[in-house]
Amino acid sequence: MLYDVYAFGSNARGQLGVDHFEDISEPTRCVLETSSFDSRPIGLAAGGNHTHILCENGTVWGCGFRSSGDAQDDVSIARFQCLMIHEGEVTTRHFSFIAATWEASILVTVDARTVYTYGIGAKGELGRISEGDASSAASYSPPNRILGFPPDGIVVVSLNASMSHVVAVLSNGEAYGWGAGRKGQLGEPSEIVWKPRKIANVAFKVAKAVCGRTFTLLVGSDEKIQSKLIGSIKREGPAVSTGSKILDGICALRDVQAGWGNVYTLLQNGKLAVHGHDTHGQIPSAMLTEGITYIAAGSEHALAVTEGGDLLTWGWSEHGNCGPTNAGHKGSVNRYAKPNNTYILGAGCATSFLVMSRSHSEVRPSNHHLLLRAPIA
């Protein structure tokens, strides 16, 4: 199969990879070094002005500001380029996990035993700057590994990040975090964490972590879900506070994701629950929280696919990231009919990404735009 990625939303630094720097509300085909992705895109990491896409074969493609990892990288790249990390005579081309803060990138090698970071880490986002060198953290740092992490014999099994903190879940069920922690999102003490620190006082083995702007939700692996929210989250919608166990008791969890100020919980039965604030319509109306098969949480917006195959978008759409129809009002949800061979890749900082698949013999559509038909009544 071949795969084409379509993007829409904020694009001032070329983070959509569409070969220009204008915001767009219509899904537009991304441009890359080769004509199409020959491996299925499976992961998205979107910073404030850069984007990385992880493919099934372990390759990572990047675009936007300081996306390539080059030592002298101070430019914006408006098309996707394959990422390679050079360390002496060794070149690393394949990865297992990716994440991004506002100005930093985090990549885990395919064997899950080495973590590389690059970019700017003024609040510890790189995970490898000593507190005494904090002044240098405000300058760009090229790719380098976090020494001694993960510990010997342990591998990374999950990675997530938000505006300025990162959490890695390890194979022993422990979670480690680094970056901004003054709201308690990395546990106690509440402070900037310059190097990976174990998140203490978690009474279960962690399988996954999702990060909001000032909080982290830790999720257990048992059949009956255990969870713990640490940090600060604005309390609108269902009440959420530090220490809340908002997923506890759920037996059929399909997915959980976080925006800057929201937690999106999707159950196996297709029901969607949203916790957090609703300043820009991040909490959809109750009638549109059932029959959902897939979700993707962006900074202040979200995407979902219904059982019937329709695409839903809602939240803050200042840059066109919810599609051709503005969905920036509270409770407003856009519903579009999308092609059957299209799936959601992910959502970022006012950016949205879809993927269209086709066989090798199938001719690529001549239209550079993915048609989202007018909202269905």
Side-chain angles (χ1 to χ4, degrees):
M1 296 291 289
L2 296 175
Y3 303 88
D4 292 312
V5 176
Y6 291 79
F8 49 110
S10 178
N11 193 40
R13 290 288 195 150
Q15 61 264 43
L16 295 183
V18 293
D19 213 20
H20 63 71
F21 297 92
E22 301 295 326
D23 291 1
I24 48 177
S25 61
E26 187 174 9
T28 301
R29 190 164 61 221
C30 299
V31 179
L32 58 156
E33 292 170 332
T34 57
S35 60
S36 300
F37 291 94
D38 59 4
S39 179
R40 185 172 183 264
I42 59 172
L44 179 81
N49 293 291
H50 70 286
T51 304
H52 285 134
I53 292 175
L54 173 67
C55 292
E56 205 165 38
N57 64 359
T59 57
V60 172
W61 298 75
C63 67
F65 185 55
R66 289 175 169 157
S67 59
S68 70
D70 289 342
Q72 303 301 320
D73 190 1
D74 195 24
V75 298
S76 296
I77 301 171
R79 55 174 59 194
F80 279 96
Q81 297 182 341
C82 192
L83 179 69
M84 293 177 285
I85 291 181
H86 304 285
E87 192 175 26
E89 298 182 356
V90 177
T91 298
T92 301
R93 305 171 185 266
H94 297 89
F95 304 88
S96 56
F97 300 101
I98 58 175
T101 64
W102 188 259
E103 293 185 293
S105 300
I106 305 94
L107 302 99
V108 179
T109 54
V110 72
D111 64 2
R113 297 180 184 277
T114 303
V115 179
Y116 286 100
T117 63
Y118 66 90
I120 295 178
K123 296 181 179 178
E125 295 95 322
L126 299 180
R128 52 179 171 80
I129 305 295
S130 299
E131 185 173 359
D133 297 327
S135 59
S136 66
S139 301
Y140 175 80
S141 175
N144 212 331
R145 66 177 64 199
I146 300 178
L147 296 176
F149 183 80
D152 290 343
I154 306 297
V155 298
V156 176
V157 298
S158 179
L159 182 71
N160 201 253
S162 187
M163 170 73 82
S164 52
H165 76 286
V166 185
V167 175
V169 178
L170 305 185
S171 54
N172 61 1
E174 296 176 344
Y176 281 70
W178 60 93
R182 288 177 176 168
K183 298 292 185 179
Q185 62 265 50
L186 296 175
E188 297 298 332
S190 298
E191 60 186 6
I192 291 178
V193 179
W194 294 98
K195 295 184 178 181
R197 185 183 75 182
K198 178 182 174 181
I199 298 176
N201 301 317
V202 181
F204 54 87
K205 287 191 173 182
V206 180
K208 180 178 181 177
V210 294
C211 301
R213 187 168 184 170
T214 56
F215 68 88
T216 301
L217 178 65
L218 305 173
V219 184
S221 59
D222 293 339
E223 182 176 337
K224 191 173 183 180
I225 298 296
Q226 293 179 285
S227 65
K228 181 177 182 178
L229 187 140
I230 57 176
S232 171
I233 183 170
K234 192 172 182 179
R235 302 181 190 183
E236 294 181 28
V240 180
S241 59
T242 299
S244 291
K245 302 176 180 181
I246 60 177
L247 303 185
D248 280 24
I250 293 176
C251 297
L253 180 67
R254 179 177 293 181
D255 194 13
V256 58
Q257 295 198 22
W260 279 355
N262 298 85
V263 174
Y264 298 84
T265 304
L266 179 62
L267 304 184
Q268 291 289 359
N269 63 7
K271 291 186 177 181
L272 175 65
V274 185
H275 298 78
H277 65 69
D278 195 27
T279 52
H280 297 289
Q282 296 94 324
I283 299 179
S285 58
M287 63 181 295
L288 291 174
T289 55
E290 296 188 6
I292 305 299
T293 62
Y294 186 88
I295 56 171
S299 52
E300 300 281 9
H301 75 292
L303 313 178
V305 175
T306 69
E307 292 174 347
D310 289 341
L311 172 68
L312 305 181
T313 67
W314 68 91
W316 197 12
S317 186
E318 180 185 18
H319 298 279
N321 43 290
C322 286
T325 304
N326 180 36
H329 305 290
K330 286 189 177 183
S332 176
V333 176
N334 293 327
R335 182 187 291 263
Y336 302 103
K338 66 173 183 60
N340 291 332
N341 59 336
T342 304
Y343 64 90
I344 295 173
L345 177 60
C349 298
T351 56
S352 301
F353 293 81
L354 307 174
V355 179
M356 177 181 284
S357 62
R358 57 188 171 87
S359 65
H360 283 267
S361 60
E362 187 177 354
V363 178
R364 185 191 218 185
S366 58
N367 191 348
H368 288 278
H369 302 287
L370 178 65
L371 177 63
L372 293 180
R373 295 203 298 271
I376 301 170

